[in-house]
Amino acid sequence: MKNGYWTRNLRYLGWLLAVWFLVSLGCSVLFVDVLDQIQIGGFKLGFWFAQQGTIYVFVALIFIYVFLMNRLDRQVEEEAQ
């Protein structure tokens, strides 16, 4: 199960880093013109993502990773018993 554990861990990391990359590059640079048509609290959404949104997404991804790894660890423990 050790190889399966690390394979799944790397798969989680790959997907989470891909989401972070898409949000940080996509929302802050590539799609900024489209997002700037929407305003939140008087600020354009593209500006908000560039300044704050990517940080919030990164923190959320950390919590998602912790949740996924705790679940994976429980599965490994159950299979070991």
Side-chain angles (χ1 to χ4, degrees):
M1 179 61 190
K2 187 174 183 179
N3 288 335
Y5 177 86
W6 287 109
T7 302
R8 188 172 290 179
N9 182 18
L10 291 175
R11 189 178 314 138
Y12 289 157
L13 283 174
W15 280 109
L16 293 173
L17 286 173
V19 169
W20 185 39
F21 176 77
L22 288 175
V23 169
S24 63
L25 180 68
C27 294
S28 301
V29 178
L30 299 176
F31 306 121
V32 72
D33 293 331
V34 175
L35 292 173
D36 278 345
Q37 296 174 1
I38 302 169
Q39 289 195 0
I40 293 181
F43 296 101
K44 295 179 179 180
L45 188 59
F47 172 78
W48 183 83
F49 263 107
Q51 297 301 315
Q52 310 239 347
T54 55
I55 296 169
Y56 290 145
V57 170
F58 179 67
V59 171
L61 290 175
I62 291 171
F63 284 107
I64 292 169
Y65 178 72
V66 168
F67 171 77
L68 291 172
M69 290 309 297
N70 284 336
R71 188 174 68 179
L72 181 60
D73 288 341
R74 279 192 302 273
Q75 289 174 353
V76 169
E77 287 178 9
E78 289 173 1
E79 289 177 6
Q81 292 176 355

